[in-house]
Amino acid sequence: MTRSLRTVLLSFVSLAAVFLTISPAAAQRAPVDCGEYAGVVCQGFFTDEAGVVDDPQRIEDAISRIVGHYGNPIAVVVVQNSRGEDPADFAADLANAWGIGDPVEENGILVLVSLDERRTEVVTQDGVTVSGSAIAGSARSFFAAEDFEGGLLAIVGSIEQALAGTLTEETDSGGFPFGLVVFLGIVGFFIYSIVGRVFGLRRKKNKQLREERESLIDADLARLEPSGNDLPRYERYAEPPPSTADIPTNVGLTELWRVSSGDPSDMDALTALWSLGLVDVIDRDRLLKETREPLALRASDERPLLENAVQEAADAALDVDLDDEEEFESRRRELNRLIDSLRPHRVAAARRRTGDALIVDLVDSPIGQLRITPLGLAVADAAPLLDGDVPLSESVNEYRAVSTEAEAKAARLERLYENLPDSTARPAVAAALADLDEDPDSAVARYERVRAKLADASAGLEADGLDPAAIAALLLMNRNERNTRQFLSAYERHRDRGFDPAEAVEFALAGLLTVADVERVRPVTRRLGLPISITAALLDRRDDGPEVFERLHEDLAEYTSGDSSRTIAGVLAMSLEPSQAMRRWLAAREALHELGLVGSYADVAAAFGASDPRGPRAFALAYAAQRRALSDSSIDDADRFAPELAHAGTSKQTDTWTGDPIPEGISSFDPFTMFFHHWVITRGVSDSYGWEPVYGDTSWSKDRGSWWGGGGGFGSSGGSSWGGSSWSGGSFGGFSGGGGFSSSGGGGW
């Protein structure tokens, strides 16, 4: 007898005995409302969140009979995943939250099947002694073959077998000798198992075939949708522009505003706008002519008939018996013939609608029908930052240059998103790597080498709830890829001294390697209310660093306040001479205000501009271009990265001000690296002096939700921003208010 067959037989013996010895009247009714935990809603004795069982009532009834016979509250739960927890921990939390078991008898059992982790976990209260690994093992061969219904029935049978093993032969079996009951159970359930598996495999095959046919029909129907090449675009109807003509920037911007308001009048200015690509002159008549529906299609009344016929043909194809492949293909050929007839009507109607929309947006002018180009819109948005006295061509070229760089960075960011694993750290890691190397693949390879060194050298980081991905990005930004062992050594020493992980990692990243280093910085950090790394940089950069900070903090009080004010003052004191710090910050703040960016986010973003070596105005112009490029990218809400990417910063690991390579060694760091560190990372750190108030400010995003108020960055949504978060919640009502569950074993499959 094979091992798997023995498992099947042993699993079904006791379940068969239950079916033979317990009357339906003995079945136990499942609780109506037994709670919810982490999105998993209790559905009774059996909860199939993942939807893998066609007949859940069958399993529910089997469990209820066991509950009625033995009195042990039992829950069997199938979930898609364990929400990032260890499956055994998730099972125990689920059992406790639902209140399974009796608080006095402590006799509850919960079995969790987690599909993504391919694990079966059994947790019990103290009053139950069963082998969780044996129960889990009874379903392994079924689950491996994706026969989940058979596996779950095997689990139920194994639970019964375990509970039956604790009873004597005096157990009521309705007058039948116990041995006969077992024999009949073996025979009956062996037959039942074979038949059930045959039908289960048949159902699985039919389900797959049905899904394949639905996919084919959906692909056929998708051909009805007009593609981008079918529809008109302005570019196809744009007249060739004249040779370059020039005017002062302020004149050109004034006329561009008139075009947007529908009242252009200056022919020379319009010609210059056209020649510089800020507006297009569109052949309206040709656009109108080529987007009208052909007379043959307009005169025909066949479209409504074809629309109905296509829908009926699609339904008919899907109604064909699953065993009749030839008939299905015949119905599908008929469907595609109808689609070929209907598609010209759909395309013609879509071209007409699109053409009408394009024509409505055209503006009549002395040189023809105009529309403002994307470049024209971008230049108009950046108008407050452009020098009105220089030729318009110079302003356009200046914007084109920053726009080209911004689009290249946005493209690198998209590529990085594709290459980096999806994680909490990915957004900020991608932003850090976008400036590291012009080749995204090379940047990822360099980053992965640092991350791998961290992972190989110390399992303690993850055990402490820290994120090696975030740490690797910062080390790489600051040219410390060769210093991972030095960082780890410093971190482990600080942990051994009793510092918590959030403090220890900040000390190590700031280059505070000894107790003396820490004690030199910590009192100043507490007195000034600054992040550790910025305090360390402030003290190392100048002898009078604290005094300069306090003077700037006092000056900033007129414009901004709170933690963001302290952090801005710290960064300005660390990176700029006091005589220029406020002047540059105010200039950057004013430039951002000109773009409509106000609030605490603007105040902090202005510190990026103040420390940008190109100057506040150039930073603001780069910011405008970067934000536009990111908002047009495929990354959802990516314009949150605009300040970081617009800053000249530590591109290719060079110093912000000198352009020289950043010195190696974790005790040396570039101001912008620490700025980025606290801009992105300090959100949510308990007892830190980061920029938490900034993250809730939505003024930068107008109608978009602010990233800083939600998830993202290097950190989690609570606890230490370097690592995971813990769940806390109350009790949900349940079976009978049990608790104290722990693992009794489990297994993978």
Side-chain angles (χ1 to χ4, degrees), residues 45 52 73 231 268 282 320 363 368 382 391 413 419 435 503 567 595 622 630 682 726:
F45 295 125
V52 297
L231 302 178
D268 290 339
I282 303 299
V320 171
V363 176
L413 197 67
N419 292 347
D435 263 337
E503 284 185 307
T567 309
L595 294 174
L630 290 170
T682 56
S726 59

Side-chain angles (χ1 to χ4, degrees), residues 303-500:
R303 180 176 175 180
L305 299 175
L306 287 170
E307 293 280 4
N308 291 333
V310 164
Q311 301 308 314
E312 291 174 359
D315 292 340
L318 291 175
D319 285 341
V320 171
D321 189 280
L322 292 174
D323 293 326
D324 196 342
E325 188 66 25
E326 184 176 344
E327 177 64 14
F328 172 73
E329 289 299 332
S330 175
R331 294 294 182 96
R332 189 178 169 212
R333 284 193 295 271
E334 173 62 16
L335 171 63
N336 278 281
R337 185 188 66 78
L338 293 169
I339 288 173
D340 290 338
S341 299
L342 176 58
R343 192 174 190 281
H345 292 275
R346 289 276 189 96
V347 170
R351 286 180 59 80
R352 174 182 49 77
R353 290 193 302 271
T354 305
D356 289 344
L358 296 180
I359 289 170
V360 165
D361 289 337
L362 294 178
V363 176
D364 192 22
S365 81
I367 63 172
Q369 299 290 314
L370 302 181
R371 71 105 183 195
I372 301 179
T373 65
L375 176 62
L377 293 172
V379 170
D381 285 344
L385 305 177
L386 301 176
D387 185 348
D389 295 329
V390 304
L392 181 59
S393 60
E394 289 186 20
S395 295
V396 171
N397 288 336
E398 181 183 18
Y399 184 83
R400 281 185 187 273
V402 295
S403 180
T404 298
E405 176 64 18
E407 289 171 2
K409 286 185 178 182
R412 290 204 293 273
L413 197 67
E414 288 181 306
R415 182 73 173 274
L416 288 163
Y417 254 62
E418 294 174 0
N419 292 347
L420 292 168
D422 187 8
S423 68
T424 304
R426 183 173 69 168
V429 170
L433 299 185
D435 263 337
L436 180 69
D437 198 306
E438 292 182 3
D439 179 4
D441 294 335
S442 174
V444 170
R446 294 171 65 186
Y447 162 75
E448 285 295 336
R449 285 195 291 271
V450 178
R451 190 188 62 78
K453 287 180 183 178
L454 288 175
D456 291 343
S458 175
L461 295 174
E462 292 190 3
D464 283 346
L466 301 181
D467 190 346
I471 298 169
L474 278 170
L475 290 173
L476 191 60
M477 281 183 72
N478 212 46
R479 202 160 176 255
N480 293 142
E481 58 263 46
R482 297 181 183 177
N483 305 115
T484 54
R485 292 192 178 278
Q486 185 183 13
F487 160 78
L488 287 167
S489 176
Y491 173 75
E492 289 164 0
R493 285 200 300 272
H494 290 314
R495 289 290 285 130
D496 290 341
R497 292 168 185 144
F499 294 113
D500 63 42

Side-chain angles (χ1 to χ4, degrees), residues 190-207:
F190 183 65
I191 296 172
Y192 170 82
S193 171
I194 294 174
V195 173
R197 293 199 66 177
V198 168
F199 280 100
L201 292 173
R202 174 69 174 174
R203 283 195 301 271
K204 179 182 176 182
K205 180 180 178 182
N206 286 346
K207 182 181 179 182

Side-chain angles (χ1 to χ4, degrees), residues 21 169 173-184:
T21 60
E169 291 188 2
S173 57
F176 284 95
F178 187 72
L180 179 59
V181 170
V182 172
F183 174 75
L184 292 174

Side-chain angles (χ1 to χ4, degrees), residues 420-727:
L420 292 168
D422 187 8
S423 68
T424 304
R426 183 173 69 168
V429 170
L433 299 185
D435 263 337
L436 180 69
D437 198 306
E438 292 182 3
D439 179 4
D441 294 335
S442 174
V444 170
R446 294 171 65 186
Y447 162 75
E448 285 295 336
R449 285 195 291 271
V450 178
R451 190 188 62 78
K453 287 180 183 178
L454 288 175
D456 291 343
S458 175
L461 295 174
E462 292 190 3
D464 283 346
L466 301 181
D467 190 346
I471 298 169
L474 278 170
L475 290 173
L476 191 60
M477 281 183 72
N478 212 46
R479 202 160 176 255
N480 293 142
E481 58 263 46
R482 297 181 183 177
N483 305 115
T484 54
R485 292 192 178 278
Q486 185 183 13
F487 160 78
L488 287 167
S489 176
Y491 173 75
E492 289 164 0
R493 285 200 300 272
H494 290 314
R495 289 290 285 130
D496 290 341
R497 292 168 185 144
F499 294 113
D500 63 42
E503 284 185 307
V505 75
E506 286 243 37
F507 294 155
L509 283 169
L512 307 179
L513 307 181
T514 66
V515 173
D517 290 335
V518 171
E519 293 308 317
R520 177 176 63 92
V521 174
R522 286 186 91 191
V524 182
T525 294
R526 290 169 176 169
R527 179 170 65 85
L528 300 181
L530 282 174
I532 291 166
S533 53
I534 291 181
T535 304
L538 192 62
L539 291 171
D540 290 343
R541 202 165 182 86
R542 54 189 309 143
D543 293 335
D544 61 346
E547 291 74 21
V548 171
F549 161 79
E550 289 177 318
R551 188 160 65 250
L552 287 170
H553 185 220
E554 184 178 343
D555 292 342
L556 283 165
E558 181 181 348
Y559 305 98
T560 187
S561 60
D563 287 346
S564 59
S565 172
R566 284 196 296 273
T567 309
I568 293 168
V571 172
L572 293 178
M574 180 177 68
S575 58
L576 294 166
E577 289 299 318
S579 61
Q580 67 176 169
M582 280 298 297
R583 172 172 51 80
R584 289 176 67 97
W585 180 78
L586 287 171
R589 185 173 185 260
E590 181 181 359
L592 293 174
H593 283 193
E594 294 272 357
L595 294 174
L597 185 68
V598 296
S600 58
Y601 181 94
D603 293 341
V604 178
F608 279 86
S611 61
D612 193 304
R614 299 167 301 182
R617 175 186 163 278
F619 165 79
L621 188 64
Y623 169 83
Q626 192 66 69
R627 182 169 177 181
R628 179 174 291 274
L630 290 170
S631 65
D632 290 340
S633 74
S634 62
I635 304 174
D636 184 44
D637 204 19
D639 42 348
R640 62 184 179 241
F641 296 119
E644 295 97 319
L645 296 180
H647 191 282
T650 54
S651 178
K652 300 178 181 63
Q653 299 177 310
T654 56
D655 183 87
T656 299
W657 296 105
T658 67
D660 296 331
I662 299 171
E664 291 188 15
I666 60 176
S667 59
S668 300
F669 41 78
D670 179 82
F672 181 67
T673 304
M674 291 299 100
F675 200 25
F676 183 93
H677 174 149
H678 279 278
W679 176 253
V680 175
I681 293 176
T682 56
R683 188 184 72 78
V685 181
S686 177
D687 299 324
S688 77
Y689 298 102
W691 297 342
E692 288 89 340
V694 177
Y695 305 123
D697 181 65
T698 59
S699 57
W700 71 283
S701 56
K702 296 184 179 177
D703 59 334
R704 298 173 67 100
S706 173
W707 179 61
W708 308 112
F714 283 98
S716 66
S717 60
S720 168
S721 69
W722 290 98
S725 59
S726 59
W727 180 90

